[in-house]
Amino acid sequence: MIGPRDDLALMEGYHSPQVDVEVRLNTNEAPEPPPEGFEAALVEEIRALDWHRYPDRSYRALRGAIADLHGVAPDQVFAANGSNEVLQTLCLTYGGPGRTAAVFEPTYALHSHIARITGTGVATGERRADLGLDLEEVRRVVTEAAPEITFLCSPNNPTGLVEDEATVRSVLDLAPGLLVVDEAYGQFAPWSALELVADDVPLVVTRTYSKTWSMAAARLGYLVGPRTLVAQLDQVVLPYHLDSMKQAAGRLALGFQPAMEARVAALVEERGRLTAALADLDVDIWPSGANFVLFRPRERDGHDVWQRLLDRGVLVRDCSGWPRLSGCLRVTIGTTAEDDAFLAALEEALA
Ligand code: PMP
């Protein structure tokens, strides 16, 4: 039987176990479905679709709506099936055999995973012991590897730590190729690299509908970047990659911006409540600018605590066996009721 490419054969897949439990706080989704009125509007659009025709290949209406949201031009926007596919298209376009992407671990596992799948070499830098970015290490890695792509993630998954403007500007100065700032959780953070995007700056910022916009099921993400790069990505991605339903859903969702902003504000407040409650328990916590919090039980084994939470109907992300994150767990901010259930279960699990 045929086997995969030699360079893929030893790679592990990426997955988060989907367990059927009462309280699922493991994949950083929005805790609520889209706002009232979204579904009815989408159904109407779907009824009116020309099903026998291909979708608008350059998704003009969606692109225009995203551009308006960020105050940029439509040709500075590239969208795809989830920000993962945006990242993949970047690697297909600027990575590949003989090229390198730099990552600073621990960070979002898909950056190095997608790089490898696209045949891109990976240069790995280490974060500091407190999991913050070390600019001297960035300088060392980009000088040695001269990467075509440098990945940052802000807020970083799974730590929740936010890179400030000075740090992103420094990495932009140091990195010889394209800087990708993955802002899947950008709405929950106090600062965004979007303001640095310009046609003469080798920077793209990626965003997703999966978190803030309550649309993880739809698989839609995008980037904002220089026009020339967006045109190059358009050439690489498959024709008609965004189906008509998704284009409509993405455009309609942006009509609910005030409701979404209110939800983000509520989640940020809830994050404060959850973090304060965690601070009273026997765990170390990292300050989060995202819709999740990384923590580490001080006295108890992390995996053991994960299992004890699961036994009580609460699923969080088990990072305890991941390199550099020994003993750590990550919890998504949910509804008040879900977070209360998590805190009660955690108190028991730590007892
Ligand atoms: N980037 C980061 C940092 C993420 O955490 C995620 C979701 N886990 C993604 C990208 C992918 O999001 P999407 O659902 O848009 O593919």
Side-chain angles (χ1 to χ4, degrees):
M1 187 69 88
I2 183 88
R5 264 166 30 207
D6 289 346
D7 59 327
L8 296 182
L10 293 174
M11 278 174 52
E12 279 183 40
Y14 176 86
H15 63 100
S16 181
Q18 286 190 308
V19 188
D20 228 353
V21 291
E22 193 74 9
V23 180
R24 270 172 38 187
L25 299 174
N26 66 326
T27 41
N28 301 341
E29 294 138 318
E32 294 172 280
E36 178 92 30
F38 169 80
E39 199 179 282
L42 181 58
V43 168
E44 215 165 284
E45 294 254 351
I46 289 175
R47 280 214 188 94
L49 279 184
D50 277 335
W51 283 97
H52 58 303
R53 298 293 184 195
Y54 280 110
D56 174 10
R57 180 168 174 171
S58 42
Y59 48 97
R60 280 164 295 186
L62 173 63
R63 227 174 193 146
I66 296 171
D68 286 348
L69 176 71
H70 293 300
V72 298
D75 52 3
Q76 291 178 288
V77 173
F78 171 81
N81 294 282
S83 51
N84 282 339
E85 195 184 48
V86 174
L87 300 171
Q88 185 189 53
T89 312
L90 284 165
C91 283
L92 286 169
T93 309
Y94 304 107
R99 292 187 166 212
T100 304
V103 296
F104 298 91
E105 299 286 0
T107 190
Y108 183 44
L110 265 274
H111 293 163
S112 53
H113 184 75
I114 293 171
R116 291 197 177 96
I117 284 180
T118 57
T120 312
V122 176
T124 304
E126 298 291 328
R127 284 170 192 264
R128 295 188 307 253
D130 65 2
L131 304 182
L133 195 67
D134 175 352
L135 282 175
E136 272 318 303
E137 174 74 346
V138 174
R139 184 192 305 279
R140 183 188 71 77
V141 170
V142 301
T143 305
E144 276 173 23
E148 279 75 14
I149 304 170
T150 297
F151 284 108
L152 285 185
C153 187
S154 180
N156 189 27
N157 181 5
T159 64
L161 298 175
V162 179
E163 308 304 351
D164 63 15
E165 178 174 354
T167 304
V168 174
R169 281 187 187 276
S170 300
V171 178
L172 199 49
D173 285 344
L174 291 168
L178 174 66
L179 176 61
V180 178
V181 181
D182 181 337
E183 288 194 357
Y185 306 95
Q187 292 93 338
F188 303 101
W191 180 78
S192 167
L194 277 167
E195 64 184 63
L196 302 182
V197 170
D199 278 339
D200 57 352
V201 178
L203 163 76
V204 295
V205 177
T206 65
R207 289 275 176 114
T208 178
Y209 277 72
S210 300
K211 324 290 177 186
T212 313
W213 296 100
S214 293
M215 276 176 48
R219 312 300 303 122
L220 183 59
Y222 60 91
L223 67 71
V224 180
R227 287 175 172 81
T228 49
L229 268 69
V230 167
Q232 289 156 2
L233 297 167
D234 279 338
Q235 282 179 344
V236 171
V237 77
L238 290 173
Y240 312 113
H241 66 301
L242 290 179
D243 69 67
S244 300
M245 281 185 292
K246 183 172 314 195
Q247 292 187 31
R251 175 170 47 75
L252 288 172
L254 301 189
F256 294 85
Q257 195 189 349
M260 287 310 187
E261 281 173 1
R263 285 173 175 208
V264 168
L267 277 172
V268 167
E269 203 174 312
E270 179 67 0
R271 180 181 74 204
R273 185 182 78 92
L274 189 107
T275 309
L278 281 173
D280 288 337
L281 299 177
D282 192 24
V283 296
D284 292 322
I285 41 182
W286 279 263
S288 172
N291 68 338
F292 57 82
V293 177
L294 186 75
F295 65 99
R296 176 163 48 203
R298 291 199 192 106
E299 302 297 330
R300 281 198 168 268
D301 176 71
H303 178 73
D304 198 42
V305 171
W306 178 82
Q307 185 61 56
R308 289 162 71 98
L309 287 171
L310 192 56
D311 294 344
R312 288 161 177 79
V314 177
L315 178 64
V316 299
R317 194 66 190 266
D318 184 6
C319 314
S320 64
W322 298 4
R324 307 166 186 89
L325 290 168
S326 175
C328 290
L329 303 176
R330 190 196 68 195
V331 61
T332 304
I333 310 300
T335 60
T336 311
E338 286 172 328
D339 296 340
D340 283 342
F342 158 73
L343 287 167
L346 182 62
E347 212 164 324
E348 284 180 25
L350 292 171

